[in-house]
Amino acid sequence: MAIRAGASGMTQRQRLTLLAAIVGSALATIDGSIVNVALPAIEQDLGGGLSAQQWVSNSYLLSLGSLILIGGSLGDIYGERKVFAIGVLGFGAFSVACALAPTIEVLIAARVLQGAAAALVTPSSLAIIVAAFGPRERGAAIGSWTAWGGIASIIGPLAGGVIVDRVSWRWIFAINIPLALATLVLVLAAVPATSRVGNRRVDFVGAGLCALGLGGVVFALIEQPHYGWSSPVILVPLVTGCIAFASFLAYERRAPEPMLKLELFSRRNFAVGNAETLSMYAGLAILFFFLVIYLQQVAGYTALEAGLTTVPVTVIMFALSRRFGALADRYGPRLFMGAGPLVAAAGILLLLRVGMHPSYATDLLPGLLVFALGLSLTVAPLTATVLADADQSDAGIASAINNAVARVAGLIGVSVVGVVVAATLVGDTFAPNTESVRAFHQVVLICGVLVGAGGIAGIIGITNPRRVVDAERCPGGQLVGAPQPVVDPAPLTAAERS
């Protein structure tokens, strides 16, 4: 697949800038999916049971989700090129720490830092494309960036499975190092520097309260099976986290330059769309986290085989979501945002047929195909509708908020479900027995309810917008990064609305 920006006259600098943005963004995208496949091997090597596996995944999502909003504002203030380069450099350095981690605690700490670096890379990768390309070329350039994000989502589980089976889980982190170095070279060679915006301030207080709030709640949820709800080890961080997050919301409401613009939630489609994002992406994260662990630890799949199971979902979404986005542009997003999650939930519930020795062709694939169809119906209209309900001047922060909601949904979802299933596991891990099958079925039911609830929210709460919503340009939703603003500011005519 060639990297193209549509116009044949794209300069060498633009071509290299686009390549830098694609590779840099792919680092964060691949790392999010590749690690899930390696979790059983990491647990076998470093120990820690299910809670350790949750922390390896969630520590990355915790820092990424709580800092991605401030990462975008840092790029606006200090220049996208500088922030992007620092993020890529940090991501590479912390990948070394992950690869060499001697204990599970060191690995989790390195994952926190890796997520913080990704919070700089993800929003800045889109920003450097916007800065490098003019309005006529920008759409095609971002289309290439989005398409390669989808390809990265496919490559991640496959590459992870091969690396874990053939070499070691440590190489899923080590492989980031040459990619980070290559991206840095491209940035220095091609991406133009931008000047600092002097009057803008960084919302460090908001970022700190957000991280403390999410961190306290997530710690309590993951560690509760070990200590119990009545233990001070659980109660103190849980209460502290709730107070800190409430303080974060209160502070953001009166901050002069907040990282979270709360008044956007007064708009119906923005609020309902983010609620649907929270519900749906929580279900997605739970499903993919527990499915690959279950298949390896209970069903006896290799890491590569477990990674291959999710490929049809990504391929179908990659092939169909842009087309459904175009249909949503024509008929309005409400139908797609309602029906899509319900179809996806039906596919998830078909996985209740999975037992201790599942057949991929008869037990897994049918449910995954139905789920993929429903997901393809949903992601583009959902993201585009959220962004379209903000004014054009707020499109960037609206995209960042929706991206953060998607990340936090996965973080909280995996943490909460760990509490539910831990009681049915032996030794805090999945094992080839009927209790593990029962625990997996509980996970499937929770995922189905969460994703289906998103569809109900879409049917009841979403109204078809009165402005042109270009859902076709959001084919990957928040699964492949932070989508571009997609609003045509011109209102629809009476004929167009009919």
Side-chain angles (χ1 to χ4, degrees), residues 287 290-292 294-296 299 301 305-306 308-310 312-313 346-372 440 444:
L287 179 65
F290 284 99
L291 178 62
V292 294
Y294 178 85
L295 290 177
Q296 292 181 70
Y301 282 41
E305 290 169 340
L308 282 168
T309 60
T310 61
V313 176
I348 291 172
L349 293 178
L350 287 175
L351 297 179
L352 289 171
R353 305 180 341 174
V354 171
M356 199 177 302
H357 304 290
S359 164
Y360 180 72
T362 59
D363 296 329
L364 283 165
L365 187 59
L368 291 173
L369 292 177
V370 175
F371 167 71
F440 178 71
V444 169

Side-chain angles (χ1 to χ4, degrees), residues 93-108:
F94 301 135
S95 294
V96 174
C98 290
L100 299 178
T103 66
I104 192 68
E105 292 80 9
V106 173
L107 176 59
I108 291 169

